[in-house]
Amino acid sequence: MTRVFSGIKPTGHLTLGNYLGAMRQWAAVDQHQADALFCIVDLHGMTVDHDPARLRRLTRQGATLLLAAGLDPELCTVFVQSHVDEHARLSYVLECVATDGEMRRMIQYKEKSARERARGGSVRLSLLTYPVLMAADILAYGADEVPVGDDQAQHVELTRDLAVRFNQRYGHTFVVPRATLPQVAARVMNLQDPTSKMGKSEDSGPGIVYLLDEPDVVRRKVLRAVTDSGREVAYDREARPGVTNLLEILAACTGGNPEALGDAYESYGALKKDTADAVIEALRPVQARHKELCADPGYVEEVLQRGAQKARAMARPTVDSAYRAIGLLPPVAEPALNAAR
Ligand code: AQP
């Protein structure tokens, strides 16, 4: 059976981009067709300046939202990254396979480090190395597929390169995974700046729809979305990024084809109204389920505990193999130590 792994960072409140680009596909397709693991990657949440209490809160909220979006712990494994030591264990080994040049070429590193420096802040070393931790997240589980939005495709490419390099140098250890992207809404753009991704770690703003936004807030944000000069509704990523973004969102929420939908509208106003309605309807069941789950925090904790146990058992053998293959001496087992005393 195909093994699938993907994760989400608790760096901010989850957005419509996270939902349409990743979570929805995990719930609707991946958990039914594959042996799937989904993870709140909290260690990745510390690569930029963070507040510990907020990180804890967002980790819990992220896990609750994964379940609210339809992940079923009877069908897939849901857990928190830092609950499974194997991720960090493997990450260091992979750092010994990666090069600093590879890390510095990562677009997210370039963008986020530039943003951090522009604010006068310092750049954490973990921002440079976190793609290696992401590779460890994926390779520890022998994942065949990694369903992600378009912005993470480069990191999955790096993961492939590291797996191939490790296997060639130290013997076959890792499955070489591939990224799978959704057909529509692989990159939902900011409604106020449709040339930038709708990202959750940016300052909250009218261009970002959060999964827990009230319907009237969603409507206001969509109705105020920046559109393009001209009047014709047409799907054209280069010339009409604002309208194209709305068409992608509408298509993702209604199951239509964004190009064909473009032909069906004569005004920006009608497109915005239908998009707002479609987003509100898409988020309604997620928000309702989130409310129920918040009333039962013990259930979420139990799911995470069971998930971590399962994940640990799956990752351990592969990480142990990688340690052996790269030349680390296996630890002496406890009974043998006792006998020698
Ligand atoms: N705008 C998006 N459109 C489509 N897919 C998206 N994803 C994220 N944003 C969009 C996908 O959601 C999954 C989890 O994302 P993440 O937590 O790894 O990272 P992020 O949401 O991109 O947020 P960051 O890195 O904390 O900060 P920003 O927001 O500044 O980039 C991934 O599969 C991702 O592709």
Side-chain angles (χ1 to χ4, degrees), residues 6-23 26 41 44-45 47-48 108 111-112 115 130 134 146-153 155 180-182 184-190 196-202:
S6 203
I8 205 148
K9 276 181 245 155
T11 39
H13 296 284
L14 301 191
T15 71
L16 184 66
N18 296 126
Y19 183 65
L20 297 181
M23 295 159 73
W26 303 348
V41 283
H44 293 286
T47 54
V48 289
Q108 287 221 359
E111 288 178 356
K112 288 187 181 176
R115 215 191 293 164
Y130 100 84
M134 179 170 160
V146 189
V148 284
D150 181 52
D151 60 319
Q152 291 295 341
H155 292 157
T180 53
L181 307 186
V184 280
R187 187 178 285 251
V188 176
M189 307 308 270
N190 187 303
S196 311
K197 188 189 83 167
M198 185 184 282
K200 71 172 123 58
S201 66
E202 284 159 38

